[in-house]
Structure formats: structure tokens, C-alpha cells
Amino acid sequence: MSTEVRKPIISGNWKMNHNHFEAIQSIQKLAYLLTKDDFAAVDVTIHPPFTDLRSAQTLIDADELRFILGAQHCHESDSGAFTGEVSAQFLSKLNVNYVIVGHSERRQIFGETDEVVTAKIVAVQKHGMTPILCVGETLADREAGRTHEKVLGQVRAALTKRSVEQVRAMVIAYEPIWAIGTGKTATAQDAQLVISSIREEVAKVSSPLAATAVRLQYGGSVKASNIAEIMSQPDIDGVLVGGASLDSAEFARICQYRLRKD
Ligand code: PGA
């Protein structure tokens, strides 16, 4: 199941960092550091804050850069009385291609439930974009031996109502919550174990076809120094990078993991 060729996908989640001036600088610097071969080898998605999206899109279009524009969140309705929210429909008009859905910070700080996450996935795909579904366990879940139960439950909830075609087009990011922004990473082998069980679950709830095609990322304190080992695991097709994506030089080294031996 893990032998299918899936193009690696490296995503930079800037969270609430970088205003639109800083976003332009970061993207320009990254564009200078990455080569045509890098983009041929990996998909690079960048997820700036909402207020940066228009500037980032204009720069990417004008300079014909090969970054794929992403967002960090969206509302599940197309429009309406939801003060402060941004719909998937609006994002698609800005040429956004990928939307992170159900990040643990959204689940924990903003109370997003599995039902809300499912509705957002439906909205993102309705507007022709790709959801990056985030799943992951807390430290308490892990210590209680509930990692698989928690993660696979989130996967099952999110894939209901999705066709095989819709599931195979998705990206799922396994992000153990205790590893996010903490400097602690799951060992590559631990990440592989959970991620391969996600692939098996996709085969069960959707189809083996969807399971071989769906791209699975690891996230949580990924850096240039640990990316190569993480990417060497057979079921890990990419990474979702927070803190280390804010530094263009470091993020470029992450995107170029295949060139290094460390
Ligand atoms: P981190 O964040 O790389 O800073 O741990 C990952 C994420 O939240 O997506």
C-alpha cells in the first residue's frame, strides 16, 4: 500500500505571524533559494494569514512562482452573518488551493468539533480546493494509550460523506499535539506507525484506492535537521511545518531535504 508514487508535499503554516509586507519578503527570499528541480520534486504550499493572501497571490502570479497558495482556516458557509469569518468560497476566488482544516489550535482554542471539521472539508472541496485535515492526540491521550483511538476517530469522522475521489484528493496531517511548537518530535518510527494506521483506516472507511493515493503528512517541530529521517518513512508523504517555516532559509532547507544526508 505504501509503494504508490505520491508527490511529497511540504506545507508552511505561518499561523498568526508575518504581516503582508513580511509575507512578500519571505516568499521572495524562498523563491530565490528554491530551484526548478526542488519544485519538480516536491509540492510547496504556503499558508499565510488571511490579510496576506491577496499580496501573496499577486506576487506568485506576477513572478510565475511555483508555490501553491494555502489558507489556515475557513468558515463552512458560503456567506452570511458570521462576523469576522472568511468563507471557502472567498478563498477560492484568491486562487487558494489548499486549506488547513481542524488544526489542533482551532480544535482546542476555538472549540472546533469533528462535526464542524467535516462541514469545512465539504465546503473546501465544494469550491475546488484541497483540505489538509489535521488530526492528533494530546499528551494525556498518548500516556493513556489512546493515540490510535483518538487519531483514527478523527479520521473516520472527517471522511464521512466523502466519495472515494474526494478522499484520494485530500491531504491528512498527523500532528501529535504535544509535539507542536514544543521542540519535541515523535520519532520517525512512531510517526510512521500512526501514519500507516491512518492509511489502513482510510482503506477501511473509504477504499484501498483512496488509501494508496491520499497524501499523509507529519507535523510537530519539523526542522531542517530532522526532516530527512521523517521523510525516509514509507507512509510519510510530507510535512506540515509551523515555527521553522517562518525562517525562509530554514524552510528552504526543509524543502530540499532530499539533497542532504543529515
Ligand atoms: P510546529 O507547528 O512546526 O511549530 O511544531 C506545526 C503545526 O502546528 O502545524
Side-chain angles (χ1 to χ4, degrees):
M1 204 185 276
S2 56
T3 50
E4 169 102 351
V5 179
R6 296 176 293 265
K7 189 173 182 191
I9 173 164
I10 300 198
S11 303
N13 171 16
W14 290 356
K15 311 192 180 188
M16 199 173 74
N17 297 290
H18 285 347
N19 61 43
H20 74 284
F21 298 113
E22 293 162 334
I24 291 169
Q25 280 180 348
S26 294
I27 293 172
Q28 281 171 332
K29 187 162 177 201
L30 202 53
Y32 173 77
L33 293 167
L34 295 180
T35 66
K36 254 191 1 225
D37 288 350
D38 295 330
F39 288 108
V42 294
D43 283 342
V44 181
T45 75
I46 297 179
H47 302 255
F50 286 140
T51 51
D52 303 2
L53 285 174
R54 179 71 171 139
S55 307
Q57 180 231 338
T58 306
L59 173 64
I60 289 170
D61 287 355
D63 290 1
E64 295 180 10
L65 305 179
R66 296 182 61 191
F67 299 114
I68 306 172
L69 191 58
Q72 300 173 15
H73 162 64
C74 70
H75 195 274
E76 54 276 24
S77 301
D78 282 355
S79 60
F82 302 104
T83 301
E85 287 294 294
V86 172
S87 77
Q89 187 221 151
F90 301 164
L91 296 175
S92 70
K93 299 282 183 229
L94 282 171
N95 295 348
V96 166
N97 275 296
Y98 285 76
V99 184
I100 297 171
V101 177
H103 189 281
S104 60
E105 286 153 17
R106 301 290 324 174
R107 292 181 192 257
Q108 292 196 311
I109 306 169
F110 301 101
E112 288 185 7
T113 61
D114 280 340
E115 289 70 33
V116 169
V117 168
T118 306
K120 289 181 196 297
I121 288 175
V122 172
V124 167
Q125 291 197 314
K126 175 180 152 193
H127 291 287
M129 300 178 292
T130 300
I132 299 180
L133 163 71
C134 296
V135 296
E137 82 285 6
T138 62
L139 189 57
D141 292 327
R142 187 174 187 86
E143 285 171 348
R146 287 198 304 261
T147 297
H148 284 73
E149 182 189 325
K150 174 73 172 289
V151 168
L152 301 184
Q154 290 175 328
V155 170
R156 271 194 303 277
L159 300 189
T160 53
K161 302 194 208 153
R162 297 290 81 195
S163 69
V164 171
E165 279 312 308
Q166 286 164 330
V167 173
R168 59 182 291 179
M170 285 173 58
V171 175
I172 303 176
Y174 166 57
E175 298 203 300
I177 295 170
W178 49 270
I180 295 179
T182 57
K184 293 184 198 146
T185 30
T187 64
Q189 292 73 18
D190 265 5
Q192 160 63 22
L193 265 181
V194 179
I195 287 177
S196 66
S197 72
I198 293 176
R199 204 177 292 287
E200 282 162 22
E201 195 66 20
V202 172
K204 272 191 239 154
V205 297
S206 180
S207 77
L209 194 71
T212 45
V214 70
R215 290 188 291 177
L216 304 180
Q217 293 178 316
Y218 167 78
S221 300
V222 173
K223 332 182 235 308
S225 58
N226 59 23
I227 174 81
E229 204 196 340
I230 292 167
M231 290 303 291
S232 72
Q233 300 301 315
D235 280 296
I236 302 183
D237 307 313
V239 286
L240 180 53
V241 188
S245 72
L246 296 173
D247 175 342
S248 297
E250 173 82 3
F251 191 56
R253 286 204 298 280
I254 291 173
C255 295
Q256 293 168 326
Y257 70 92
R258 70 194 192 288
L259 304 176
R260 299 194 328 274
K261 296 273 172 280
D262 56 341

